[in-house]
Amino acid sequence: VVAILERQRQHLTGLRIALIDDVLATGGTMAAARKLLLDGGAHVTVGAVVLELTDLGGRDVVAPLAVTSLRSI
């Protein structure tokens, strides 16, 4: 993914991106995806997930990204 992102950087610069995932648990996946996109020149504006496992603290890991979840447990 990193090699592809490096080659496509000019296509990401200035784009406003919403990150969408199925589950927010520890926040590792969303944080890594956000970092790759930011490094590629995109602006990650918001995150959205279907399910958030609140006890695992993923929202704190991806802060200050605003994340909306359809369901939290």
Side-chain angles (χ1 to χ4, degrees), residues 20-56:
I20 301 171
D21 203 353
D22 55 352
V23 176
L24 177 62
T26 63
T29 301
M30 189 169 280
R34 181 175 180 261
K35 182 180 180 332
L36 283 171
L37 289 163
L38 290 173
D39 290 349
H43 301 284
V44 181
T45 58
V46 68
V49 295
V50 175
L51 177 66
E52 179 180 359
L53 305 176
T54 56
D55 288 346
L56 297 179

Side-chain angles (χ1 to χ4, degrees), residues 5-6 9 11-13 16 18 21 26 33 41 50 52 58 64-66 70-71:
L5 192 58
E6 281 299 316
R9 183 181 179 107
H11 299 295
L12 292 174
T13 301
R16 296 171 49 92
D21 203 353
T26 63
V50 175
E52 179 180 359
L65 183 66
L70 295 179
R71 175 110 168 116

